[in-house]
Amino acid sequence: MNYWLMKSEPNAFSIDDLQAMPKQTEHWDGVRNYQARNMMRDEMKVGDQVFFYHSNCETPGIVGLMEVVRESYPDHTAFDPQSKYFDPKSSPDKPRWFMVDIKYIRHTNRVISLSELKEHEPLENMPLVRKGNRLSIMPVSKAEWDYILQLEEGR
DNA sequence: GCCAACGTTGGC
DNA sequence: GCCAACGTTGGC
């Protein structure tokens, strides 16, 4: 089983929004970065565990846990000229962008902020804490996953 | 294939 | 709102 972290701006789609969806499940659309796409398309498997991260907000940080419940399939928002994620270079017979379905598991008992994550040496190799990194989906090692869950209880 | 210009991300 | 970092675009 693999572990991941996925970013979303809470203004656009928050963990509360995910929790409120039917079956607490939603497709993770709008990824338009090749590195992120490749991980989602090729490596994310049903049952993988995912941190939900709120970005571009008052306190950026990890706010909850989710799980992959459907593996990659074409992101239909790329086909819709009305969508802000429209990409004319993607078509149903030759899709360029993909998404997975994600299910809410739980909120963390507090926001584990980016500034806190940066304080911990065992997490220093996470792309998340490195300056200028803009990946919206990134792998998390088992050690990092466990460390962060233990942090959640710590404060 | 290079690289300048431009757009986006996202912390602060 | 600012701006650093980075990805993408497009002229050449």
Side-chain angles (χ1 to χ4, degrees):
Chain A
M1 177 165 63
N2 291 315
Y3 301 89
W4 306 93
L5 179 143
M6 296 169 95
K7 297 180 183 175
S8 180
E9 301 189 12
N11 288 339
F13 186 72
S14 72
I15 187 163
D16 294 340
D17 295 331
L18 178 62
Q19 187 179 19
M21 297 304 295
K23 297 186 181 176
Q24 302 187 323
T25 297
E26 180 60 304
H27 45 262
W28 202 270
D29 60 21
V31 172
R32 296 293 179 270
N33 168 283
Y34 288 104
Q35 223 185 322
R37 177 203 70 179
N38 291 347
M39 287 187 282
M40 198 165 53
R41 185 190 59 188
D42 304 334
E43 294 173 46
M44 293 187 91
K45 301 298 176 195
V46 168
D48 284 1
Q49 305 291 111
V50 186
F51 284 129
F52 196 131
Y53 179 90
H54 279 177
S55 66
N56 213 357
C57 57
E58 193 173 339
T59 306
I62 291 170
V63 294
L65 275 58
M66 345 184 250
E67 181 176 335
V68 178
V69 293
R70 181 179 173 189
E71 285 163 26
S72 73
Y73 58 107
D75 181 344
H76 55 74
T77 62
F79 312 144
D80 175 8
Q82 306 306 318
S83 170
K84 69 169 180 166
Y85 298 124
F86 177 60
D87 180 355
K89 292 172 182 160
S90 189
S91 63
D93 44 314
K94 239 194 160 192
R96 171 173 296 203
W97 303 113
F98 292 81
M99 59 191 182
V100 297
D101 286 357
I102 287 290
K103 184 179 198 316
Y104 171 87
I105 296 179
R106 66 174 177 89
H107 285 62
T108 46
N109 62 26
R110 63 192 180 83
V111 177
I112 307 167
S113 70
L114 177 62
S115 62
E116 180 180 350
L117 295 169
K118 284 178 171 171
E119 292 170 6
H120 292 271
E121 188 268 338
L123 304 178
E124 69 185 10
N125 288 326
M126 293 184 77
L128 185 71
V129 303
R130 290 214 292 270
K131 196 177 176 185
N133 194 280
R134 307 187 323 194
L135 257 191
S136 63
I137 298 177
M138 68 188 76
V140 175
S141 74
K142 170 87 166 103
E144 290 160 350
W145 179 273
D146 291 342
Y147 189 87
I148 291 167
L149 285 184
Q150 157 260 307
L151 264 190
E152 179 192 7
E153 306 301 330
R155 223 181 250 194

